[in-house]
Amino acid sequence: MTSSLVSKIPIYLAHGAGAGHQSSGFLKVFSEMTLDKHGRSVVPVTFKYMTEQESSGKKRPPPRFKTLVPEFIEAIKFEESVIVAGKSMGGRVATQLSHQENVRAIICFGFPFYPSGKPEKHRLSFLEGVVAPCLIIQGTRDSLGKPDWVNNQTLNEHIEVHWIEGADHDFKTLKKQNLKTEDVIENISNVVEDWLQRHGLAS
């Protein structure tokens, strides 16, 4: 396992606006499965406001978006090659790093295309300047980006969207699907690794 870890480009994963790595089950399980199943390390990126929130126990909103981008850049500065990723808001931040010389790919989990129920206030501008391969993994029940709206948009040629049937913004599925959350996240981990391999980033 150690030798494979050395050879594989790591994923630096940022959290969403309201839940950090300590409280997000998705982030924790995805990181563990990606390491255990695929031998690829996932490095948590925690923004300063979330570090303060976790230490104080008091919830606070994120700071202005433009302050989060340099924080992410600082986190990856010592990596020669890196994959940047993020859950929801963290994915928005990751898309702004594609011009960094060491960024090889971007992965967004539940990209917040628009505020819930407000597609007219879309955030497509965050995707327009992406120059690295970018994978967006989205649930078909995600209220921040539903298929009928997303599939009608013209996205940057570097962007690919993969849909998870029945999943919401946190990748929880309907009871009738009879799927454990761990099974869904394992599928997502496999999708990510297959996509990285297709883009020559298997190691």
Side-chain angles (χ1 to χ4, degrees), residues 8 24 37 52 104 117 157 163 190:
K8 285 198 171 185
S24 170
K37 286 182 61 65
E52 294 172 3
R104 302 287 302 279
E157 64 180 354
W163 294 98
N190 292 339

Side-chain angles (χ1 to χ4, degrees), residues 49-63:
Y49 85 93
M50 182 58 68
T51 299
E52 294 172 3
Q53 176 176 303
E54 290 175 339
S55 61
S56 67
K58 296 180 180 179
K59 284 198 171 185
R60 51 178 297 183

Side-chain angles (χ1 to χ4, degrees), residues 106 108 125 150 152 156:
I106 302 163
C108 303
S125 61
V150 174
N152 281 322
N156 183 309

Side-chain angles (χ1 to χ4, degrees), residues 79-97:
E79 293 287 354
E80 182 178 347
S81 294
V82 65
I83 298 154
V84 293
K87 175 73 175 71
S88 194
M89 181 199 73
R92 285 173 63 199
V93 182
T95 61
Q96 304 308 290
L97 274 60

Side-chain angles (χ1 to χ4, degrees), residues 5-8 15-16 19-20 27 37 49 52 55 68 92 100 102-103 114 116 125 131 146 158 164 181-182 199-200:
L5 283 177
V6 171
S7 66
K8 285 198 171 185
H15 54 80
L27 297 176
K37 286 182 61 65
Y49 85 93
E52 294 172 3
S55 61
L68 300 176
R92 285 173 63 199
Q100 298 297 309
N102 59 345
V103 171
Y114 47 76
S116 183
S125 61
V131 296
K146 294 190 174 183
H158 298 288
I164 303 297
T181 301
E182 290 79 6
H199 286 276

Side-chain angles (χ1 to χ4, degrees), residues 73-192:
I73 293 173
E74 180 71 16
I76 65 172
K77 68 179 182 180
F78 295 116
E79 293 287 354
E80 182 178 347
S81 294
V82 65
I83 298 154
V84 293
K87 175 73 175 71
S88 194
M89 181 199 73
R92 285 173 63 199
V93 182
T95 61
Q96 304 308 290
L97 274 60
S98 71
H99 290 274
Q100 298 297 309
E101 290 185 1
N102 59 345
V103 171
R104 302 287 302 279
I106 302 163
I107 303 166
C108 303
F109 301 103
F111 188 83
F113 283 96
Y114 47 76
S116 183
K118 298 179 179 180
E120 70 278 5
K121 296 184 178 181
H122 65 77
R123 301 180 177 116
L124 293 176
S125 61
F126 287 90
L127 303 174
E128 290 174 356
V130 170
V131 296
C134 177
L135 174 65
I136 295 176
I137 297 182
Q138 200 84 357
T140 58
R141 292 192 303 117
D142 192 331
S143 62
L144 278 64
K146 294 190 174 183
D148 57 353
W149 187 89
V150 174
N151 290 336
N152 281 322
Q153 309 308 311
T154 301
L155 300 178
N156 183 309
E157 64 180 354
H158 298 288
I159 296 168
E160 177 181 337
V161 181
H162 180 93
W163 294 98
I164 303 297
E165 185 63 37
D168 63 12
H169 190 60
D170 293 316
F171 298 104
K172 294 178 181 178
T173 54
L174 297 167
K175 287 185 177 180
K176 65 181 182 181
Q177 291 179 260
N178 197 28
L179 289 171
K180 295 180 181 178
T181 301
E182 290 79 6
D183 294 334
V184 176
I185 300 175
E186 181 178 5
N187 176 40
I188 291 172
S189 179
N190 292 339
V191 167
V192 166

